[in-house]
Amino acid sequence: MNTIDTHYDVVIVGAGVGGGAMANRLSATGARVLMIERGNYLPREADNWSVKAVFHDRKYTANETWRDKDGKPFHPSTFYYVGGNSKFFGAATVRFRVEDFEDLQHEGGVAPAWPVRYADFAPYYDEAERLMGTHGTAGADPIEPPRSGPMPYPTIGHEPEIEAIAEKLRAKGLRPFPLPIAIDRHKGGACIRCSTCDGFACKLGAKNDAEVRLVAPALASGRVDLVLDTKVRRMLTDASGKRVTGIEVEQDGQVKVISGDLFISSAGAINSTALLLRSANDKHRRGLGNNTSDQLGRNYMAHNNTAMMAIHPFRKNRVTFQKSMAINDFYLANAHRPWPMGNVQGLGKLQGGMLTANVKWLPEWLMDRFAERSVDWWIMSEDLPDPNNRVTLDSDGTIRVAYTPNNLTSHNELVRHWTRIMRSIGYPIIITQRMDITVSMHQCGTARFGNDPATSVLDPTCKVWDVDNLYVVDASFLPSSTGFNPSLTIVAQAVRTAEHITSNVFKASTAA
Ligand SMILES: Cc1cc2nc3c(=O)[nH]c(=O)nc-3n(C[C@H](O)[C@H](O)[C@H](O)COP(=O)(O)OP(=O)(O)OC[C@H]3O[C@@H](n4cnc5c(N)ncnc54)[C@H](O)[C@@H]3O)c2cc1C
Ligand code: SF4
């Protein structure tokens, strides 16, 4: 449907992981919920799995230009569809660690404590894993935080090439484990275990992304409406500035206003910031919810990420689904290393064309040869919140992402260390590429939650401190990026916020 009624109990901006999970949970409450999505459904078609379409033609990437800290324009790798960025995600659905919720000392500084401890958050992870349909083996990750039971589905297992590497790593004293993955790969599931998953959309609908697992069931409840191709321009408040009364949207070339009782911004860490900044008014001159802290848009994080190809010159790697294994032996400081270094996980199998898409002068035949013989890794380390790493709007309305990477020493050390390990198990040729600002896939932190309105944008329930009926539920809320993929934690927080809204906000308004 693409018509908009005048009034909803809850209006959610964005149908990605955060927005989808909110709609999913609130659909059971009897509230009338509207989701507004600037994109449409991503078609399921052959091009979903085409390297040319996805990486060279950027057929599905948002047609956006942002600017970096120097004002240089760039095209971000971001996706505007029902399901948001998760349509293209690698489906790693990993819990953050007990230590991630506390002050955690890094080489480059301290990752700050969260306003909630892991023990209080864990039940929401249980529910998030169930919602996302995670496959994995409880207890296999050597630094796994406490959990109440098994994962919803058993591990998808390693293919022989990856199992052989796991054996070699174990022989070196490492403890590789099955990466928790959200794909429909179990008895009766639709996944065929192909090689075009991480970075591609699933043409079978077998990836457990936000559209499939969160939005579709929400719509099936009959209590949730979804409008498509509708961009939210700004939020409007009452004269006091304490309540959002409506939102202004652009639909079919027309500007319309939708009213509601409760509003949730789930447009993603960068776009939620842009939306709240565009909503500045007399009572919120620095952007909605930014009066007390001036933290909106600050503390932007996106991880220190490096892709690595470890190449065996003579042996082909015939794996299809490579993203089945992870290594957490370097995640926390230990007797040998004073600082956390990060997580290593399998990357979706690289193909030559994926490499030449970014570096045009590379000969594709050579990259094909390398890719046929490589084992590919994603090396991910925490970046730290820095108020100067910041999302703002330029005077022409263009998004600016001013970002200077930090905490790099330990990331570089991890890359060097993993290089040594790969060489020692028979992969002499190593090619690495650090991800740059265009890779905003793990964007987070721009509206962090906290206990103190002077230093955070959101309270511990993700309500904007300065505004009574506005929540931000997407990757914005993360006070630290941790060294793990963010989506499961966004879902868990959405479940937590939805529970708060249901048991406190709705009950209070019913009583009133
Ligand atoms: C290639 C790739 C691989 C990844 N792999 C993993 C992985 O393996 N594991 C993992 O945990 N994470 C992974 N991620 C990251 C993960 O997908 C994101 O962290 C997550 O999807 C973020 O969810 P979100 O709700 O914060 O925002 P988004 O997914 O960005 O959703 C925001 C939604 O809001 C819409 N929107 C934006 N602005 C407006 C507006 N003004 N009006 C209306 N609608 C608007 C957007 O179209 C979008 O649908 C990956 C991401 C990518 C791109
Ligand atoms: S591996 Fe499975 S879920 Fe992923 S794209 Fe292939 S069929 Fe879809």
Side-chain angles (χ1 to χ4, degrees):
M1 79 128 205
N2 229 24
T3 53
I4 305 173
D5 273 354
T6 46
H7 195 91
Y8 282 85
D9 298 320
V10 184
V11 179
I12 301 173
V13 181
V17 170
M22 284 306 293
N24 189 296
R25 302 325 284 155
L26 294 176
S27 67
T29 63
R32 278 204 72 206
V33 179
L34 174 68
M35 304 184 80
I36 306 175
E37 170 55 49
R38 71 190 290 170
N40 206 309
Y41 282 99
L42 188 130
R44 287 184 193 155
E45 57 190 9
D47 272 354
N48 291 167
W49 288 350
S50 154
V51 171
K52 180 174 176 301
V54 176
F55 289 89
H56 286 265
D57 304 343
R58 293 169 68 90
K59 174 173 179 176
Y60 303 109
T61 313
N63 185 16
E64 288 258 302
T65 303
W66 296 345
R67 296 195 184 104
D68 70 7
K69 62 180 173 190
D70 302 317
K72 195 170 146 218
F74 68 93
H75 299 298
S77 287
T78 199
F79 302 93
Y80 296 153
Y81 295 98
V82 177
N85 280 293
S86 74
K87 290 306 295 175
F88 290 81
F89 82 158
T93 37
V94 185
R95 294 179 182 219
F96 294 172
R97 306 295 123 146
V98 174
E99 294 80 357
D100 290 320
F101 288 72
E102 314 287 339
D103 277 340
L104 186 58
Q105 183 68 50
H106 283 260
E107 168 271 324
V110 174
W114 289 32
V116 54
R117 301 278 81 81
Y118 174 82
D120 304 317
F121 206 79
Y124 304 102
Y125 271 136
D126 293 346
E127 183 61 8
E129 284 173 349
R130 193 191 63 72
L131 282 170
M132 296 304 282
T134 300
H135 295 58
T137 307
D141 177 347
I143 59 160
E144 188 178 41
R147 51 179 305 123
S148 63
M151 304 230 180
Y153 294 102
T155 175
I156 61 165
H158 302 315
E159 290 169 46
E161 292 80 0
I162 302 303
E163 187 50 49
I165 291 172
E167 275 302 312
K168 289 181 182 170
L169 296 176
R170 278 186 215 112
K172 295 203 155 289
L174 296 169
R175 297 164 295 172
F177 64 94
L179 178 64
I181 280 285
I183 56 176
D184 198 22
R185 181 75 187 169
H186 51 88
K187 202 161 180 238
C191 170
I192 59 166
R193 195 166 182 143
C194 72
S195 60
T196 43
C197 195
D198 191 5
F200 296 82
C202 180
K203 79 174 179 191
L204 305 180
K207 192 192 280 192
N208 294 355
D209 58 38
E211 178 206 337
V212 171
R213 296 294 298 196
L214 305 173
V215 177
L219 297 178
S221 73
R223 299 296 306 169
V224 177
D225 292 339
L226 169 65
V227 286
L228 302 169
D229 297 318
T230 304
K231 182 178 174 187
V232 177
R233 288 154 56 113
R234 61 191 182 116
M235 298 191 164
L236 312 167
T237 70
D238 64 8
S240 73
K242 293 300 283 177
R243 291 188 72 78
V244 175
T245 52
I247 57 180
E248 194 181 274
V249 302
E250 236 174 76
Q251 192 190 55
D252 300 331
Q254 288 181 310
V255 175
K256 302 175 182 175
V257 172
I258 302 164
S259 67
D261 293 331
L262 202 88
F263 294 84
I264 296 164
S265 181
S266 298
I270 291 175
N271 274 303
S272 276
T273 300
L275 172 59
L276 267 55
L277 290 172
R278 282 199 301 268
S279 307
N281 60 26
D282 279 355
K283 291 285 189 268
H284 298 270
R285 291 190 180 278
R286 293 193 294 208
L288 208 50
N290 201 23
N291 276 344
T292 322
S293 69
D294 189 26
Q295 292 299 302
L296 177 65
R298 295 186 187 272
N299 309 301
Y300 172 79
M301 295 167 282
H303 284 148
N304 293 317
N305 293 310
T306 294
M308 176 186 285
M309 298 173 82
I311 301 163
H312 192 293
F314 310 116
R315 197 171 53 228
K316 288 195 176 176
N317 177 9
R318 299 186 196 282
V319 74
T320 53
F321 192 93
Q322 187 171 245
K323 203 176 180 68
S324 64
M325 184 167 76
I327 294 91
N328 270 342
D329 294 286
F330 320 108
Y331 192 78
L332 297 172
N334 58 35
H336 309 290
R337 300 186 191 281
W339 317 114
M341 293 208 294
N343 161 269
V344 180
Q345 57 186 245
L347 186 57
K349 184 71 205 87
L350 289 177
Q351 302 180 39
M354 293 160 78
L355 306 164
T356 54
N358 285 332
V359 191
K360 303 271 185 245
W361 54 266
L362 285 174
E364 189 149 331
W365 66 267
L366 180 65
M367 289 301 109
D368 278 338
R369 297 291 173 284
F370 281 157
E372 280 168 3
R373 290 162 177 78
S374 69
V375 179
D376 315 299
W377 301 99
W378 187 250
I379 303 175
M380 180 165 45
S381 313
E382 186 154 1
D383 54 347
L384 300 168
D386 173 352
N388 296 316
N389 282 342
R390 187 175 184 193
V391 176
T392 52
L393 293 177
D394 283 354
S395 53
D396 62 356
T398 302
I399 289 173
R400 183 177 288 229
V401 183
Y403 179 70
T404 305
N406 59 39
N407 202 28
L408 273 172
T409 306
S410 48
H411 178 67
N412 293 338
E413 173 56 21
L414 181 55
V415 174
R416 278 195 299 273
H417 194 60
W418 198 243
T419 299
R420 285 193 289 271
I421 290 172
M422 283 298 105
R423 290 202 168 120
S424 74
I425 63 168
Y427 295 88
I429 306 169
I430 303 291
I431 299 177
T432 59
Q433 186 177 6
R434 263 276 311 285
M435 297 299 120
D436 64 10
I437 190 145
T438 62
V439 183
S440 55
M441 54 167 61
H442 291 174
Q443 56 180 273
C444 65
T446 46
R448 63 186 182 187
F449 74 165
N451 286 319
D452 182 356
T455 56
S456 54
V457 178
L458 310 176
D459 77 8
T461 69
C462 280
K463 188 186 81 62
V464 172
W465 281 111
D466 298 354
V467 185
D468 291 342
N469 62 340
L470 174 60
Y471 292 76
V472 180
V473 185
D474 54 28
S476 313
F477 84 93
L478 299 178
S480 60
S481 68
T482 82
F484 288 115
N485 324 59
S487 59
L488 188 76
T489 304
I490 303 170
V491 176
Q493 178 57 34
V495 174
R496 189 169 169 264
T497 298
E499 183 186 273
H500 159 77
I501 289 174
T502 311
S503 36
N504 297 315
V505 184
F506 286 169
K507 279 208 179 119
S509 70
T510 309

